[in-house]
Amino acid sequence: MERRRALAYARVGVAYPVGTVVAAAVVAGLLGWDVGLAVLALSMGSAATLAGLLVSETGGMRPPEADRGREQQRGILGLGGNAGPGGRDSNADVPDVARSRQARLRVFSLGLFVLTVALVLLLGGVVPGL
């Protein structure tokens, strides 16, 4: 993996979720709420976002053959993908995370989910000795 792509994934998948959790914990502390419940709410929100993204990307329960004609028609019209003239991808040097809003949301939600699940386990006392 090249350096720019790794940095983009680290920023969106690690730094932003950590900042979100810290901000939620500070706001919960200022409002007098339980920090563990705020982290649990973030975990549930990120899980719901991941589930919604999965359904939107896979098309729910539709078989893969359902979109074949549509993809062929879009390809004939020149509307398929990010290919520019000559079939070259105009954004080939830009990381996926920087190109697609859905990719950023997926990486952010996954990072937030993993972080919040770990924190829920730690704050809930599931992990002994910590």
Side-chain angles (χ1 to χ4, degrees):
M1 185 181 289
E2 67 185 45
R3 180 181 162 89
R4 285 182 53 196
R5 181 172 289 194
L7 288 175
Y9 276 103
R11 184 183 70 238
V12 174
V14 177
Y16 291 169
V18 168
T20 302
V21 169
V22 168
V26 167
V27 169
L30 290 175
L31 295 176
W33 297 343
D34 186 20
V35 174
L37 289 178
V39 171
L40 181 63
L42 280 176
S43 178
M44 293 186 314
S46 62
T49 302
L50 284 172
L53 284 171
L54 178 69
V55 168
S56 72
E57 288 175 356
T58 60
M61 299 299 289
R62 286 187 310 200
E65 301 86 32
D67 289 330
R68 184 176 301 144
R70 183 180 208 187
E71 290 174 11
Q72 288 174 348
Q73 184 178 16
R74 290 181 62 84
I76 291 170
L77 295 173
L79 300 173
N82 291 329
R88 287 198 50 206
D89 188 358
S90 60
N91 293 324
D93 60 338
V94 180
D96 294 338
V97 175
R99 255 189 309 212
S100 167
R101 177 180 291 164
Q102 196 168 14
R104 282 191 306 268
L105 184 59
R106 183 183 332 107
V107 171
F108 172 75
S109 296
L110 185 60
L112 184 62
F113 181 71
V114 169
L115 178 64
T116 54
V117 166
L119 287 173
V120 165
L121 292 176
L122 287 174
L123 293 173
V126 175
V127 180
L130 293 177

